[in-house]
Amino acid sequence: MNFEVYVDILDNAALSTLWQYFGEGPFLFQQDNCSIHTSRLAQTWFDEMGVQKLDWPSQSPNLNPIVYLWDELERRLRSLPNRPSSLQALTSAVMDAWKAIPMVTYQKLVESLPKRVQTVLHAKGRPTSY
């Protein structure tokens, strides 16, 4: 993903969604350690926005609820009658789809974390159904 698109999504979708549903913070942001997320520019954005990041191991999809949120976002984008034909149209479609995800989806993901943790512990860190 292009860094400008990433920052645009953070500025106009992720941060505004957090503010809308949870007030203006403070937040503890969970993400994987993908290189675009850990770049100097991304780190600067998080610092400037005052968003604290959860120390999270890379390659840990068993516990990371964002994976399921990205799946939901992708399903919504794939269901569009027409594919975006420009970067601006794609950015707009992603932000619209992000904002259309119901609050209950976020709540279910957060509430499922204890069960996922227990499942991973029971599996002793081996792969699970999550």
Side-chain angles (χ1 to χ4, degrees):
M1 178 184 297
N2 174 309
F3 180 75
E4 289 80 23
V5 173
Y6 175 70
V7 168
D8 196 35
I9 290 170
L10 287 173
D11 281 343
N12 296 308
L15 196 56
S16 63
T17 300
L18 289 170
W19 287 343
Q20 177 183 358
Y21 291 113
F22 303 109
E24 292 199 18
F27 302 112
L28 187 57
F29 195 84
Q30 179 186 357
Q31 65 182 1
D32 62 19
N33 289 320
C34 175
S35 60
I36 195 167
H37 300 157
T38 59
S39 71
R40 193 172 331 164
L41 292 171
Q43 297 299 338
T44 299
W45 183 91
F46 281 105
D47 292 343
E48 287 176 358
M49 293 298 126
V51 177
Q52 183 181 7
K53 296 174 303 304
L54 180 64
D55 187 24
W56 197 259
S58 58
Q59 304 299 319
S60 57
N62 288 336
L63 296 175
N64 194 341
I66 195 69
V67 171
Y68 305 100
L69 195 54
W70 290 133
D71 287 342
E72 175 69 20
L73 186 63
E74 182 178 2
R75 278 191 297 279
R76 288 172 179 272
L77 291 170
R78 288 187 183 276
S79 72
L80 294 174
N82 300 310
R83 289 188 172 186
S85 58
S86 68
L87 180 58
Q88 184 175 352
L90 175 60
T91 301
S92 179
V94 168
M95 290 191 299
D96 290 345
W98 181 277
K99 291 176 182 177
I101 296 173
M103 180 61 175
V104 69
T105 302
Y106 299 101
Q107 289 172 327
K108 286 180 180 179
L109 289 171
V110 170
E111 291 168 0
S112 70
L113 188 56
K115 183 178 178 185
R116 286 198 308 275
V117 169
Q118 285 303 315
T119 302
V120 170
L121 289 172
H122 181 72
K124 298 183 178 165
R126 293 187 305 274
T128 69
S129 61
Y130 287 104

